[in-house]
Amino acid sequence: MKRAIFSFVLILVVIGGHAQAAAEWEMLNSEVESLYQQGDYIQATSVAKKALQTAEQTRDPLHPDVATSLNSLALLHSAQGQYTQAEPLFKRALAIFEKSAGPESPEVAASLNNLATLYRNQEQYAQAEPLYKRALAIDEKTLGPDHPNVAISLNNLGQLYEAQGQYAQAEPLLKRALAILEKALGPDHPNVAISLNNLAQLYQAQEQYAQAEPLYKRAFAISKKAFGPDHPNVALSLNNLGGLYRDQGKFAHAEPLFKRALAISEKTLGPDHPNVATSLENLAQLYRDIGYASKATPLEKRAATIRKMQR
């Protein structure tokens, strides 16, 4: 099941440079952020490349603006399952921030989180864990224990443990992350929805369905309100809630949720995105569970084709 992840575009204050170039970079960055929030990753990637080109042409190679653009572009590649393209961009951004902002800066912590998430998504857990731990230590030291960035680091480390079946280690981290975000951002913030999804998935993995369902439903309501009905985050919530019902044998409840999630993902991310493969796999498994092999097989084949494209 597709896991929700915290990933965000770093937008830094422009320092120095020609006024016209700075204005252009800021405009492009704002456009990238807007397109990212809309789930239009393909167009956002095109604009992010222009922003990076502008930064490289008008800034010193080690300027934070260059790192910001590298990070943004890497996040977009990662969101589309293009991990090979994302990794060197994340690493270069991290190196720049370590030199320009310092090794214990919030920018470095954010870069560490993003690179670690890239590894986690590829199940390279041993590479991800020390990066997450370093990011958490930096955030707690520089921002204090109740800052939203601390919640992001807690959430990411908790998800890493959950992915490895280390539930007892994951739960207190995910609960603390949720409490921080609700207090700092308010109960209806999109990041609260992501945190709710992640805690619900932890309970679902342990078959604690009664604890998971209200969390999933609340996350869905927040995402739909914040992003509109056709955003990838909404599809994520639909997939998660559908998976909960499927695990409980509530197939009639699950099927329309999986179908809607698939339609949203195809529309917003394109037909070959990993999230589309996830939706196809979820729907296929549902059909297998109820004995409709003829419906499951073509979905499984299409999902397998998408997965091969991402390797």
Side-chain angles (χ1 to χ4, degrees), residues 158-283:
Q159 278 199 291
L160 182 73
Y161 290 139
E162 189 269 332
Q164 298 174 84
Q166 299 170 5
Y167 303 132
Q169 290 174 267
E171 186 174 9
L173 300 178
L174 295 176
K175 282 185 171 180
R176 184 182 160 201
L178 177 59
I180 291 171
L181 291 172
E182 288 180 316
K183 181 179 178 180
L185 304 177
D188 296 324
H189 193 279
N191 281 7
V192 171
I194 295 173
S195 192
L196 288 163
N197 259 318
N198 294 335
L199 183 57
Q201 284 183 324
L202 179 71
Y203 291 137
Q204 182 180 351
Q206 300 172 82
E207 299 183 0
Q208 298 174 9
Y209 302 130
Q211 289 177 265
E213 184 173 5
L215 302 180
Y216 278 142
K217 286 184 173 179
R218 185 180 159 204
F220 170 68
I222 293 171
S223 294
K224 186 177 179 181
K225 181 179 179 181
F227 298 115
D230 296 324
H231 191 275
N233 284 18
V234 174
L236 173 65
S237 287
L238 289 164
N239 258 323
N240 288 342
L241 186 57
L244 182 74
Y245 290 141
R246 184 191 62 204
D247 286 356
Q248 298 175 84
K250 298 178 180 179
F251 303 127
H253 287 61
E255 184 180 12
L257 301 181
F258 284 148
K259 284 184 172 180
R260 187 174 165 199
L262 174 59
I264 293 171
S265 294
E266 288 178 318
K267 178 181 177 181
T268 58
L269 303 175
D272 300 323
H273 191 276
N275 286 19
V276 173
T278 297
S279 290
L280 290 165
E281 290 161 352
N282 285 339
L283 188 56

Side-chain angles (χ1 to χ4, degrees), residues 37 53 71 85 92 107 115 140 194 209 216 258 310:
Q37 292 299 327
Q53 184 178 36
N71 180 75
Q85 287 131 295
R92 187 178 158 204
E107 292 85 356
L115 181 58
E140 288 183 316
I194 295 173
Y209 302 130
Y216 278 142
F258 284 148
Q310 303 302 325

